[in-house]
Amino acid sequence: MRDILSVHARTMCEIDHVLHPHGLGASDFEVLDMSAAASPEEGDQCRVLDLVGRVHLSQSAPSRVIGRLEKEGLVERSVGAEDRRGVSVRLTRKGRDLVTEVRPLQTGRAGPDAGLTVG
């Protein structure tokens, strides 16, 4: 178990190192990337509740991350007209461009050639 946690910690540090120059951390990118996957067309929205089930964060963390991303102009939040409890997220053009720019860097760093081995 300790080896797995060690690999995870090293991987997250590598990912953070790659994302930091773009103003992102691993959690930020994960939420942006999952939002992009859930809403592939510009203007599409995804429900925050759906994101919570897909990202590897505690249940309350996505709201904080989305708040930071919204402040940076990468996403916009909206409340459902029918169900005021239903919150949706839409990537802005800036957010989509950033995901497109950063995804190859992030996946390359976390891929099989990242040099991280258990043991």
Side-chain angles (χ1 to χ4, degrees):
M1 180 64 133
R2 188 177 308 157
D3 289 341
I4 292 170
L5 293 174
S6 177
V7 169
H8 177 266
R10 288 194 318 251
T11 302
M12 295 308 288
C13 285
E14 286 287 323
I15 291 169
D16 279 338
H17 178 74
V18 169
L19 296 174
H20 183 73
H22 301 277
L24 299 172
S27 298
D28 301 325
F29 181 76
E30 184 176 20
V31 170
L32 283 175
D33 193 42
M34 291 295 175
S35 297
S39 54
E41 299 296 322
E42 185 148 354
D44 285 353
Q45 295 184 356
C46 64
R47 292 175 7 148
V48 171
L49 188 59
D50 294 338
L51 283 178
V52 168
R54 293 182 180 154
V55 296
H56 300 97
L57 300 170
S58 69
Q59 192 164 357
S60 63
S63 291
R64 289 190 303 272
V65 172
I66 290 167
R68 282 196 311 267
L69 297 174
E70 187 175 32
K71 190 187 272 188
E72 294 297 321
L74 301 172
V75 301
E76 293 176 345
R77 259 192 280 211
S78 62
V79 177
E82 296 171 15
D83 180 0
R84 306 283 302 161
R85 295 172 297 164
V87 179
S88 295
V89 173
R90 183 184 72 79
L91 285 175
T92 63
R93 169 58 24 213
K94 181 179 175 183
R96 283 193 185 280
D97 290 347
L98 187 59
V99 169
T100 300
E101 177 184 344
V102 173
R103 186 180 284 141
L105 303 173
Q106 188 270 344
T107 55
R109 190 59 79 148
D113 298 328
L116 302 176
T117 57
V118 177

